[in-house]
């Protein structure tokens, strides 16, 4: 469900920002008229905001506690980075981290239209290849993408998740939202310098044995309709993410997430067989319930596995 705010009052704008972001004080740096328009869409635990400020807003804010991606469309944003002791300016087309989650932040937004995409920092750890998922938090160590190409990929990922928010009349199905969150977190890790570090390759190869696969498959089968990431599967199998991936590649010639996708395709197939269009079932609703947010990709994967379109299975 979309949230929308529109105001010509500085006090009302400050109150809204305090209620929906963090405690902050704002001011009008140009003394001109105030114009604020903000919308928010949500995909699972990812919030997707678009802000349009028709004045120069100076701000001093408490720590946000979230990964905050900022993409500028028009105008510019001047941000002070206390951990780096620098002031940086984001121009149209640029994307970056607005503030580290644990630090206060300040700056000036110069009559800008921009987007803010936020999610919990622990999502980075969930998708990172660390030895003990959940116990070694991954942090970003820079606020700019490592390359122009990385910035483009990040902008595309944000746009894809944002489009997903508009494709559902109601709340995005949990498994679809989870996949979108993991996808976004993975792209963020690839775009920014971070503390994720590879662990011992020798130990990973030693752990890549059939028992690892058996534990992982049992875990996935027991939680097939739940929000699980590759780091969760690795933790359940008592190995690193890299060892898990090596084990699946060595013994099943696939990846853990590809195997999970096949399991969910099987579940969707069984539900399609047991349902009827006359009973109100649709391919889209069944696909979404099993975590497939893109109907076209679901149909392609389904056809590849079962040799026919999912609609044909439902009709039969």
């Amino acid at each position: 469900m979309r949230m929308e705010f529109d105001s010509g009052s500085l006090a009302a704008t400050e109150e809204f920002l305090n209620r929906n972001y963090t405690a902050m004080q704002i001011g009008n740096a140009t003394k001109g008229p105030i114009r604020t328009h903000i919308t928010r869409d949500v995909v699972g635990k990812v919030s997707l905001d678009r802000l349009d400020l028709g004045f120069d807003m100076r701000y001093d804010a408490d720590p946000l506690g979230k990964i905050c991606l900022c993409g500028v469309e028009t105008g510019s944003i001047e941000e002070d980075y206390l951990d780096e002791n620098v002031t940086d300016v984001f121009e149209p087309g640029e994307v970056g981290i607005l503030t580290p989650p644990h630090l206060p932040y300040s700056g000036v937004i110069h009559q800008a239209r921009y987007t803010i995409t936020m999610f919990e920092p622990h999502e980075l750890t969930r998708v990172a290849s660390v030895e003990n998922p959940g116990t070694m938090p991954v942090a970003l160590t820079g606020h700019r993408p490592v390359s122009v190409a990385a910035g483009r990929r990040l902008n595309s990922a944000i746009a894809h998740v944002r489009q997903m928010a508009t494709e559902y009349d109601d709340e995005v199905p949990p498994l679809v939202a989870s996949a979108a969150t993991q996808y976004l977190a993975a792209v963020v890790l690839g775009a920014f310098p971070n503390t994720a570090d590879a662990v011992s390759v020798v130990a990973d190869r030693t752990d890549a044995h059939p028992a690892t696969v058996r534990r992982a498959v049992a875990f996935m089968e027991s939680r097939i309709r739940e929000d699980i990431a590759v780091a969760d599967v690795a933790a359940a199998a008592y190995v690193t993410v890299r060892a898990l991936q090596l084990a699946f590649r060595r013994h099943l010639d696939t990846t853990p997430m590809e195997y999970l996708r096949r399991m969910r395709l099987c579940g969707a197939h069984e539900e399609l067989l047991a349902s009827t269009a006359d009973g109100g079932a649709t391919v889209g609703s069944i696909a979404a319930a099993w975590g497939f947010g893109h109907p076209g990709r679901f149909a392609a994967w389904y056809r590849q596995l079962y040799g026919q379109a999912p609609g044909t299975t439902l009709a039969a």
Side-chain angles (χ1 to χ4, degrees), residues 15 30 57 100 170 223 227 315:
E15 191 276 332
T30 56
M57 188 185 84
D170 202 352
R223 291 168 172 80
D227 171 13

Side-chain angles (χ1 to χ4, degrees), residues 78-313:
E78 180 181 336
E79 176 70 14
D80 300 324
Y81 291 90
L82 301 180
D83 57 335
E84 302 176 38
N85 196 28
V86 298
T87 297
D88 202 354
V89 178
F90 292 94
E91 304 286 352
E94 295 181 332
V95 61
I97 299 296
L98 186 63
T99 173
H102 62 289
L103 291 178
Y105 60 108
S106 62
V108 181
I109 298 170
H110 297 281
Q111 299 190 39
R113 184 172 68 246
Y114 60 105
T115 64
I116 284 181
T117 305
M118 297 186 297
F119 60 89
E120 297 293 337
H122 70 78
E123 296 293 347
L124 298 178
T125 305
R126 288 192 70 196
V127 300
S129 296
V130 294
E131 186 168 5
N132 297 303
T135 63
M136 296 175 59
V138 174
L140 304 180
T141 57
H143 65 273
R144 287 274 188 175
V146 295
S147 67
V148 173
R152 285 198 298 265
R153 288 192 292 271
L154 180 58
N155 271 324
S156 296
I158 293 172
H160 178 67
V161 177
R162 183 175 292 278
Q163 180 183 2
M164 186 177 295
T166 66
E167 291 178 346
Y168 291 89
D169 296 331
D170 202 352
E171 182 180 1
V172 178
L175 287 180
V176 175
S178 170
T181 303
Q182 293 175 39
Y183 162 64
L184 182 59
V187 175
V188 168
L189 280 177
F192 295 97
N194 60 77
T195 61
D197 193 11
V199 296
S200 171
V201 174
V202 174
D204 288 339
R205 288 175 177 169
T206 301
D207 287 339
H209 48 66
T212 294
V213 175
R214 288 195 295 270
R215 288 194 295 267
V217 169
F219 175 80
M220 289 189 286
E221 286 177 342
S222 67
R223 291 168 172 80
I224 191 170
R225 299 291 289 266
E226 297 180 16
D227 171 13
I228 55 175
V230 66
D232 302 318
V233 181
Y238 309 111
V239 296
T240 69
V241 171
R242 177 172 292 175
L244 181 74
Q245 292 168 335
L246 285 172
F248 269 74
R249 183 60 67 187
R250 179 181 297 172
H251 301 292
L252 298 178
D253 194 26
T254 187
T255 69
M257 292 297 100
E258 286 172 351
Y259 190 88
L260 179 61
R261 183 179 71 196
R262 183 180 286 262
M263 291 170 64
R264 287 174 172 166
L265 279 169
C266 182
H269 173 68
E270 292 176 356
E271 188 168 341
L272 285 166
L273 286 172
S275 303
T276 63
D278 293 341
T282 66
V283 170
S285 64
I286 292 174
W290 284 94
F292 299 98
H294 193 290
R297 291 195 186 98
F298 170 73
W301 288 327
Y302 187 92
R303 188 179 292 108
Q304 184 180 18
L305 186 59
Y306 293 105
Q308 63 182 17
T312 303
T313 305

